[in-house]
Amino acid sequence: MSTGNRSHTRDEVAAAALELVDDVGLDGLSMRRLAQRLGIGTMTLYGHFRSKEELLHALVETAAGTTPPPDAGGDWQDRLRTIAWRWRRGLERHPAIVEVRLRKPILTPNALKGTEAGLQALLDAGFDPAQAARGFRTLFLYVFGYVTFSDPDPGPPTRAAIDAAVAPLDPAEFPVVAASAPHLAATMGGDEQFADGLELILTGLAERARGSDPSLQSVKRGV
């Protein structure tokens, strides 16, 4: 995507870098390749970003800025649902962000806005700061793990692959897997599975907030 010789802002360069990694993956990002896409000299890019690492930081910040946190107030579980669903959609739009996170923590200001909102929701539910941090980390890992290991739209090819893997198994050795084969494909991705897993987490958090989960007391006692 050549844009001639006009000057580019730092934000425009970061947006172009995000678009590039969405197209070719993180390993395909280079200052030279980005300069070619923008139609400018490589050294011009270094006037905006001193290194590829600095560019990556800006790229992540740009992507995180497209996923706004929920409004403050309201039901704490609804706020966490909003965060989780927006994160998932954002990561599916920009899968390279998952690649970035597998290599390093994502601690940009825009990304931390979601953390701020999530922690506040858990504090509002009655958790102490340590438990809020643990609960939010669980939510974070669920969303990133789901996007990393799930088929965005599990359909006939996914079912066929599972059937092919299960068919050779000895039913006497794998009776539960064999019986569950018709259901496994539906768990490989999609909205229904994501929503089901998310509700399991929120239900567990709600139980802890009510003080009915004995493991919470064990954690507080350091057991």
Side-chain angles (χ1 to χ4, degrees):
M1 180 183 66
S2 175
T3 56
N5 293 321
R6 77 173 183 84
S7 61
H8 296 78
T9 67
R10 181 182 172 92
D11 288 344
E12 287 174 337
V13 173
L18 177 61
E19 181 182 287
L20 178 59
V21 297
D22 285 343
D23 291 343
V24 302
L26 195 60
D27 289 335
L29 175 65
S30 69
M31 300 297 263
R32 180 180 179 183
R33 194 168 190 174
L34 179 58
Q36 290 175 339
R37 173 170 286 220
L38 289 169
I40 59 178
T42 302
M43 294 309 298
T44 302
L45 285 182
Y46 284 103
H48 291 292
F49 300 101
R50 292 168 294 180
S51 66
K52 182 179 175 180
E53 189 69 19
E54 188 176 321
L55 175 62
L56 278 176
H57 189 278
L59 176 158
V60 170
E61 179 73 347
T62 297
T66 66
T67 308
D71 294 334
D75 181 77
W76 65 271
Q77 289 179 293
D78 286 342
R79 286 144 67 188
L80 292 180
R81 285 189 189 94
T82 297
I83 291 170
W85 280 98
R86 287 180 181 177
W87 270 357
R88 181 191 163 203
R89 298 305 186 198
L91 292 173
E92 289 176 340
R93 287 194 304 270
H94 305 297
I97 301 304
V98 176
E99 294 183 66
V100 173
R101 182 59 190 86
L102 291 174
R103 301 182 186 190
K104 56 182 288 185
I106 295 177
L107 300 171
T108 69
N110 275 339
L112 289 174
K113 288 180 181 178
T115 302
E116 175 75 15
L119 290 174
Q120 186 61 62
L122 288 165
L123 292 174
D124 291 347
F127 289 99
D128 64 40
Q131 284 299 313
R134 290 180 184 278
F136 188 74
R137 179 67 174 174
T138 298
L139 183 68
F140 171 89
L141 292 173
Y142 173 68
V143 177
F144 269 74
Y146 190 89
V147 174
T148 301
F149 296 109
S150 294
D151 184 339
D153 185 21
T158 300
R159 182 177 298 279
I162 291 176
D163 289 343
V166 173
L169 298 178
D170 181 354
E173 185 177 1
F174 297 95
V176 179
V177 172
S180 300
H183 309 291
L184 292 177
T187 70
M188 300 303 287
D191 288 350
E192 184 175 355
Q193 178 63 31
F194 181 78
D196 189 63
L198 178 58
E199 290 309 308
L200 285 175
I201 292 173
L202 293 177
T203 298
L205 288 171
E207 288 296 306
R208 283 196 166 188
R210 287 193 291 268
S212 58
D213 186 342
S215 65
L216 176 61
Q217 302 305 319
S218 296
V219 171
K220 286 184 175 179
R221 292 195 303 267
V223 176

